[in-house]
Amino acid sequence: KLYNWYAVSDPRNVCPTGWHVPIDEEWNTLVGYLDPAYDPGAIGVQSATAGGKMRSTGTQYWFSPNAGATNESGFSGLPGGDRYDNGFIDLGLWGSWWSASEAGAGLAWSRFLRHDEVDIYRSNKFKMGGFSVRCLRD
């Protein structure tokens, strides 16, 4: 499922009891563990290696090439794409996940993985967009 950020921030919690949507700093902890040379404040490419370590392997979901995908982190990221006012886009090309952190008026932090790169991107996106949610145990 894809959620807008308003569902992510809703006090009823999109995640099950005992879980939460990670804040930006928790995403940074994961990326920093996978790539100590990452840039925690980047807008754009945050790490040139962590993305491949987070993507599921194979091409049953990701478009080919699923470049450098090892899933050595166990994150098993899938390419759910995203949703904007023009419909669903990037299915098979991108995996897009919200953080629970705001990034300014109408914006929130998110992370993206691409099928053809080993990078992970950090971006401030409009809250009305639809992205995947990854829940983290409290």
Side-chain angles (χ1 to χ4, degrees), residues 14-138:
V14 70
C15 296
T17 301
W19 296 75
H20 67 277
V21 176
I23 62 173
D24 193 54
E25 288 79 13
E26 289 171 315
W27 277 101
N28 281 345
T29 298
L30 173 60
V31 175
Y33 173 78
L34 297 172
D35 177 9
Y38 85 113
D39 180 355
I43 297 177
V45 176
Q46 187 173 36
S47 164
T49 61
K53 297 175 183 180
M54 295 172 65
R55 283 198 330 273
S56 63
T57 58
T59 56
Q60 69 272 29
Y61 302 108
W62 289 98
F63 283 8
S64 184
N66 190 7
T70 65
N71 195 33
E72 64 189 81
S73 68
F75 184 83
S76 301
L78 294 172
D82 37 61
R83 168 91 167 82
Y84 290 100
D85 58 353
N86 58 346
F88 292 92
I89 57 174
D90 299 327
L91 185 62
L93 297 173
W94 289 86
S96 312
W97 292 268
W98 283 119
S99 84
S101 300
E102 291 185 89
L107 301 171
W109 291 111
S110 58
R111 297 300 186 286
F112 296 89
L113 303 175
R114 285 179 52 129
H115 76 99
D116 57 349
E117 297 179 358
V118 293
D119 303 334
I120 184 168
Y121 292 81
R122 178 177 177 259
S123 186
N124 50 356
K125 293 293 186 180
F126 289 109
K127 294 176 180 179
M128 65 190 155
F131 301 149
S132 298
V133 170
R134 186 62 172 243
C135 297
L136 185 63
R137 190 182 308 259
D138 291 345

